Every structure is written in C-alpha cells, then in structure tokens.
Amino acid sequence: MGIAEAQRSTYEAVLRLQDAPFVAERPPYFSPAAAAQDKSNAPGAYGYFAQTLLPLEYTNWVEECGAHVTSCYVGDWSSLHKVVVRGREARAFLGWLGMRDLSRFELGQIKHHVQLDQNGWVASEGIVCRLDEEEFLYTAGSGDWLIWQLGQGSWDAEVQDVSPDRFIFGVQGPAALDTLEALTGESLRDIAFSRSRMSKIGGVPVRVLRTGISGELGYELHGPSEHANEIWSATVTAGERFGIRQLGLRSQPVQHIEAGIATNGLDYLPASILTPGAPRQFRRGTPGGSFVPEGGVTDYFRKPGELGWGFRKGLPDRDFQGRDALAADAAQGEPQRTLVGLRWNAEDVAGILAAPFGGGDLPDPMELPRGRGPVFDQVLAGGRRVGVSTGRTVSVNLRSTISLCVIDPAHAAPGTDVRVLWGRPGTAQREVRATVTALPFKPDRRRTDVSALPSSQV
C-alpha cells in the first residue's frame, strides 16, 4: 500500500473510530511527511493537531518561534480539513454560506471565508481558493459545517473531502521567497498576495499560494500526499543557506497571536458545535482559564465584528446566511466588543512562573510558549468584567507575554490598563496587570512588494 492509500485508509478509520480508545482500537494518524520529519525530530515527542500527530519541536521552541521574523520556517498544516466544492452552483453556494462577496473571484485567487449560523455567530472560518471555473478548495480547521450545510439545500454542487490526499506546508518569513524560488527553480514574484498558481518541485505539480498567517511574507505549498516526504526534505535543503527552521507544533500557534489573528477552536468556539455540522477534528478537552460563562456555551461564541471580520462600509445588500441576525444587531445600536491585544506585565508573569520555587499556594502553571488548548481568562477593570483574554503566549520576537482580547469599547483604547485573572476557579488565582495594545503586535509585512526585493539565484 502506497502513502496516499495508507493516508486515506487511516484517515477514514480515525473518523469512523474517533471515540474509540487510542492505539488499541483507533489507529494513530501521522502527517504524510512523517518519515522526513522524523529525521530531525530528536526529542521524539508528538502532539495533536486535529486528528494528526505532529512533532512538538525539532530544535527548541525559542529558536522556532523566531524563525518567521529572522529567516523563515517550514511548518506542517496538512492536518487542516481540505474540502473541494465543485459544480454549476458551487460559487453561488459558497457566496451564500460565507460573508465575503464572491461575485468577482479570479482563478487562483484566495479569499478569507467566514461562515455564520442563522444567529450571526461564527460557525466556521478558513480560506477558499478558486481552482477552476466551477471548482473551489476550502481549507480550515474543519469543513464539516460546509459539508452539512450543502446537504441541507438543493444546490447543483458536490463536495469531496480530500484531506488525506493532499499536504499543506507553510513557508513563512523574509527568506520564504528565496527558499521557494530555489526549491522550484523559477521566479515566483508574479504571485501577488492572496493569489496562487501551479508550479513544480522535482517534477511534482504543486500549488503555490501566497498567504500570511505569520504576519510576514509567506506562502503555502499544496501537493499530493504521496510526495510529501520528498518535498518536505527538498524544502529544508533549499532553505538551509537562508537559515530555514522546521516548525514544531509547540510553536505553530504563537505567530497567530503576534499577527492579531483569532484561531477557531482556540480563541473562540465555533457555533457549529451545537449542530450536526460540528467539527469532528476538535473533540478533545474543554476550555480552561478563569472565565466563567454566565450565558452558557454561547459565551464562547463570537460575532464576526468581535474578531475584526466585520464590514467596513456597513452591511451589504446581498444575501448570505446570518445576514438577518447581523442586521438585527446593527439595528439595536449597541456598542460591540472589539478585538485588541494585551501586553502582560513581565513582573506579574515572572511571579507565576517562579511560584513553584517559593512558598504559599501554587497558581495554575503557565505553559511555554503557550497552552495547547483553548484558554479563556477574565479581563477586569475596576474589579468588573470588561473582556475575555485568549491565546496567552510568550513572544520571543517581542520579548513579552501577549494575548488577544475581546473587550468592551470603553476599555479598548491602546494604553488602557486592565487586569487579567489568571487561573481556573477554585485555584490560587492571581491578577496580572496588562495594557491594551493595537493589533497586530508587530508590523504587517504580508503584502511586501516582492518585485522590489533582490533576486535570489534560481
């Protein structure tokens, strides 16, 4: 059995037996590039990204967390759900399911696709790439909501889950372009931000997408699983002279916080969890942190405007799912919470990290560089709840502890002092001083004009 057949067989078995005990009754599922990655995975430690087990780190998290700023990294996002939507009404369906206007959608173009439920809560979120006139690829933490929604209507379109058949490698950082041009042997400067086109690596057709999850110049490589090992290895080799690093799972989510990007399942829970379209990929654990929901599970949900995904020019006239709910919200005229950054006080953070070496009750520990699951912490001003902090992480690039925060407008101005309540209820909680900061935390370099960059030797 080849890699492609083994990947699909194991993927389908994991989905079928997702509630079965691990190993004995449910098979472990690794990246299609696991063999190539294992050569550099000296610690031999793995963690879950969706159903997939990925190396936690290759060298150390401090080095890997800085690579997208100092050089570049290659990271494995093959765990993402990959769903092809094709058919005469494929674009019409996607236009109804998501907030973005898809009436002008070029071949190879990429669009952020935020999908709402009927109450206006974010149900799923990812990117859509137009592959052909009637064919689109949706990649996200989960595509289950999309698949279920298509089945609820009578659209002349079909979906195909190609998750185990394709790899997704991210190459992000100032040396990303040099690395990929050396890898492909051709100039890639014609690929504008949020655009893609086909190329070849060692004769293997791959799609090169210009994306920016790190907030830096960055790309993705999409290709067939059976060639994942050779292309991972070739990418590492091509990037060696540019200082490339392999990015472990431990460091993957850090860059999202630096770039001010909320992540599904970590910084909010998707409203789809209450439906048959609930994500199969994220079924492990419950949210941690000091936040205590007063209104039930919907307190973990978010409206698009709260995550920076609202409409700049007001609600459009076109129809999409959840529009009526957003219109009702706008008619009420109530101030909407907004997404900001928080810089945590270094002295207070150091006190929590050093607590095991002192006396008194121990607070909840702080994982470094950040925790691996969803953590929601209360944000206080004058002793009153004014927001919710998520994604607390140590940024070696900023030399600071940072997080995202959905906060009341009255406290959203940069420079505002607040306090984050650290620790689960019932533990030795501590208040951490924090300062509201504009997002992103560092300059946004995703749209770097690559035509002005020195040409690498292809």
Side-chain angles (χ1 to χ4, degrees), residues 67 70-73 174-183 235-245 456-458:
T70 60
S71 54
C72 70
Y73 68 67
L177 179 60
D178 288 340
T179 295
L180 292 185
E181 288 187 333
L183 178 65
T235 304
V236 173
T237 299
E240 282 179 350
R241 63 189 174 108
F242 305 113
I244 196 171
R245 293 291 181 267
S456 63
Q457 185 176 358
V458 177

Side-chain angles (χ1 to χ4, degrees), residues 91 100-106 109 111 130 195:
R91 180 165 59 155
R100 289 290 301 272
D101 183 2
L102 303 185
S103 60
R104 290 182 293 179
F105 201 172
E106 301 170 8
Q109 189 173 4
K111 294 203 175 189
R130 189 168 192 177
R195 296 296 193 277

Side-chain angles (χ1 to χ4, degrees), residues 128-191:
V128 171
C129 179
R130 189 168 192 177
L131 305 179
D132 208 337
E133 287 295 333
E134 296 182 350
E135 185 173 357
F136 303 82
L137 175 67
Y138 178 62
T139 61
S142 171
D144 292 303
W145 172 258
L146 181 152
I147 294 171
W148 181 61
Q149 285 292 313
L150 182 63
Q152 302 307 295
S154 57
W155 302 92
D156 184 7
E158 62 179 13
V159 295
Q160 180 185 5
D161 184 354
V162 297
S163 299
D165 308 325
R166 302 183 185 183
F167 66 76
I168 296 180
F169 299 154
V171 182
Q172 301 268 324
L177 179 60
D178 288 340
T179 295
L180 292 185
E181 288 187 333
L183 178 65
T184 60
E186 65 170 324
S187 172
L188 301 174
R189 293 160 195 257
D190 58 307
I191 305 177

Side-chain angles (χ1 to χ4, degrees), residues 189-210:
R189 293 160 195 257
D190 58 307
I191 305 177
F193 182 67
S194 290
R195 296 296 193 277
S196 72
R197 68 167 171 82
M198 295 300 295
S199 182
K200 286 187 177 181
I201 300 173
V204 178
V206 297
R207 180 171 290 273
V208 181
L209 300 82
R210 185 170 170 190

